[in-house]
Amino acid sequence: MEFDELTDPYHIPKICEKCGGVYVFEGVGEYHCEKCGNLQYDDYGKVRLYIEQHPGANAAEVENATGVSQRSIRRMLKENRIEVADSSKVTLFCESCGKSIRSGRFCPQCEVKYHQKIEESQRRKSDHDMKGFGLNKGGEEGQRRFIRK
């Protein structure tokens, strides 16, 4: 089966190889065929299942066992889908302050600041866009658009 990393980064199964049926999402990376009931996992499901059965496994071990690339595993960590075990020697660092974190991109404090900045910029943008009908046009203020005859 071939996958496009941009449109399907977690290699979601679509068509059953056994019977040609369609896979239906059942949750947490699991998919069941609607015809024969065959169970398949996307990359997240494979990684999650392996980590549950092998707590403390590192990314190389997970990659070797599941076939999921370490790049995809790092993506799952950054997206807060999985987290580094407490006992792990591997550490992630906040992209803003450098504090040690277990998953995601930011520590809780920097996460709040990051979202506040986004909200503030959205507010400024919407305030700028809401100047009133026709006032942002420039050079047309006070002029008639149509002349009645």
Side-chain angles (χ1 to χ4, degrees):
M1 219 186 283
E2 292 189 26
F3 296 97
D4 180 7
E5 194 71 23
L6 293 175
T7 59
D8 187 11
Y10 291 113
H11 304 129
I12 296 170
K14 306 253 189 284
I15 305 296
C16 181
E17 296 86 25
K18 291 183 178 182
C19 72
V22 176
Y23 280 110
V24 178
F25 179 68
E26 295 292 327
V28 291
E30 292 185 9
Y31 298 80
H32 288 99
C33 174
E34 66 182 0
K35 284 185 181 178
C36 70
N38 184 36
L39 173 65
Q40 281 287 342
Y41 295 94
D42 63 11
D43 285 354
Y44 169 69
K46 292 174 190 175
V47 169
R48 184 181 153 274
L49 186 64
Y50 186 80
I51 290 173
E52 284 178 355
Q53 295 170 351
H54 303 88
N58 64 35
E61 293 168 347
V62 175
E63 178 183 36
N64 289 335
T66 63
V68 177
S69 71
Q70 289 188 39
R71 181 180 185 178
S72 291
I73 294 168
R74 281 191 301 276
R75 178 185 294 139
M76 290 177 213
L77 283 165
K78 295 254 185 215
E79 292 174 352
N80 281 321
R81 295 184 75 151
I82 58 175
E83 59 184 38
V84 175
D86 284 330
S87 60
S88 178
K89 295 177 186 174
V90 176
T91 54
L92 296 174
F93 298 99
C94 174
E95 292 179 10
S96 182
C97 71
K99 189 187 296 183
S100 179
I101 55 176
R102 293 181 56 199
S103 69
R105 295 178 52 213
F106 303 107
C107 68
Q109 294 81 14
C110 292
E111 182 86 28
V112 169
K113 290 177 190 174
Y114 175 76
H115 288 289
Q116 285 173 341
K117 284 181 186 177
I118 290 174
E119 289 173 9
E120 184 180 314
S121 71
Q122 289 296 326
R123 245 183 267 114
R124 269 190 263 119
K125 184 181 182 299
S126 67
D127 287 347
H128 180 267
D129 291 345
M130 304 285 275
K131 294 285 186 194
F133 181 77
L135 295 179
N136 287 347
K137 300 292 181 191
E140 295 182 11
E141 191 172 335
Q143 294 183 9
R144 287 194 250 172
R145 293 188 176 186
F146 304 101
I147 299 174
R148 294 186 184 184
K149 293 185 179 187

